[in-house]
Amino acid sequence: MQEKSAEQAAIVVAAKEIAARALATKEQSEKELAAKRAEYPVIDGGVTDEIHQSWKAQNGHVMVVDVYDDFIKEHHVAYFRRPSMETMDAVNTVSKNSSELKGADTMFKNCWLGGSPLVQSDAILKTAALGSLGNMFASCHAELKNL
């Protein structure tokens, strides 16, 4: 019985060591990729700090989406405002009546402020930006409590 317990403990230790090595390898790969991406030319549509401030004054929150095209080695930047209730209603309507992709495109078009024009026209870049935009809904959390 104790042999099985010692054997199981050894397996657990080995599994933890393998997981730690895998995590270290992943972190190293992410650092190397970030270093490579830092060399990519930045395409942001000529957006200046003055424009950023203007958008913030008009919209409150401005989100920046960085899209890295590792195949072409370019860094595209796109700027979006938070959606209004009207925009969310339009997205819901288009998604129900047409497709979720068209609904997401409605969100993209209504929230777009500026940035790399290629993010608007290149399907791959746009899809990557849409995926990131979806994360904005996960950035807010609400809790219901009973008094």
Side-chain angles (χ1 to χ4, degrees):
M1 189 70 150
Q2 287 181 343
E3 285 180 22
K4 274 191 174 183
S5 181
E7 186 177 309
Q8 288 172 341
I11 291 171
V12 168
V13 168
K16 287 181 180 179
E17 288 175 1
I18 291 169
R21 279 193 297 252
L23 180 60
T25 300
K26 181 181 176 194
E27 288 172 353
Q28 180 63 30
S29 295
E30 288 172 357
K31 286 179 184 177
E32 290 171 3
L33 183 57
K36 286 180 186 177
R37 287 176 171 171
E39 301 292 321
Y40 293 178
V42 177
I43 303 165
D44 66 358
V47 175
T48 64
D49 286 336
E50 292 79 25
I51 294 172
H52 289 162
Q53 296 308 317
S54 171
W55 287 338
K56 285 182 181 181
Q58 291 173 350
N59 301 288
H61 297 283
V62 175
M63 276 87 51
V64 179
V65 176
D66 292 300
V67 180
Y68 297 95
D69 188 332
D70 294 320
F71 184 72
I72 300 175
K73 297 184 175 22
E74 293 176 335
H75 173 191
H76 297 269
V77 183
Y79 301 90
F80 297 88
R81 65 174 179 80
R82 284 186 174 198
S84 64
M85 290 303 286
E86 292 81 14
T87 296
M88 290 173 52
D89 185 46
V91 169
N92 187 41
T93 300
V94 171
S95 294
K96 283 183 179 179
N97 295 333
S98 184
S99 72
E100 286 188 27
L101 185 58
K102 288 185 180 179
D105 190 50
T106 300
M107 172 79 74
F108 183 97
K109 289 176 181 175
N110 280 281
C111 295
W112 173 265
L113 293 173
S116 170
L118 289 173
V119 175
Q120 290 181 296
S121 62
D122 183 283
I124 301 300
L125 298 175
K126 188 173 194 174
T127 303
L130 284 169
S132 188
L133 274 180
N135 293 334
M136 93 173 104
F137 294 103
S139 68
C140 295
H141 302 277
E143 292 181 12
L144 176 64
K145 296 179 183 177
N146 189 11
L147 294 179

